[in-house]
Amino acid sequence: QVQLVESGGGSVQAGGSLRLSCGASYSTYCMGWFRQDPGKELEGVAAISRDKVTSYADSVKGRFTISRDNAKNTLYLQMNTLKPEDTAMYYCAAGAGRRGGGECSNLVAWGQGTQVTVSS
């Protein structure tokens, strides 16, 4: 099965930036980022297909950029102008399809998660 490992999380002040990375054991059609804060539902943040068609949650559009390097089997999430409401555990996921052209679906694997904390 595909294995995913995230890195790049940390604690930053509001307005700062972070770049998350996710290394995969092999490439899948769709790769994406999800996040969850305690007491809240899992939220799809961004997704990208192998041909690099992207989608974003309204809450991060214009601030976050998802990208992938297919040759290196690596997924990235550049997060700029971070806000306290972005605080969450961020998970990388791999799937075989997309839900309504947005989130990755038919998920094969999840990473262990990397914590992002944004202070006001």
Side-chain angles (χ1 to χ4, degrees), residues 6-83:
E6 304 100 331
S7 63
S11 298
V12 299
Q13 294 182 339
S17 298
L18 287 172
R19 186 173 71 173
L20 306 184
S21 298
C22 173
S25 57
Y26 64 86
S27 179
T28 57
Y29 171 71
C30 189
M31 299 187 74
W33 294 94
F34 295 78
R35 66 186 183 186
Q36 187 169 34
D37 211 26
K40 298 182 180 179
E41 294 185 355
L42 188 70
E43 176 187 20
V45 177
I48 184 169
S49 62
R50 190 176 184 86
D51 56 350
K52 300 184 180 180
V53 176
T54 62
S55 64
Y56 298 91
D58 288 341
S59 59
V60 307
K61 188 176 182 180
R63 299 187 297 118
F64 291 10
T65 302
I66 189 170
S67 61
R68 64 188 289 173
D69 186 330
N70 293 328
K72 297 181 179 179
N73 291 334
T74 304
L75 176 72
Y76 304 96
L77 184 67
Q78 179 66 47
M79 304 184 292
N80 297 327
T81 319
L82 284 161
K83 303 176 180 180

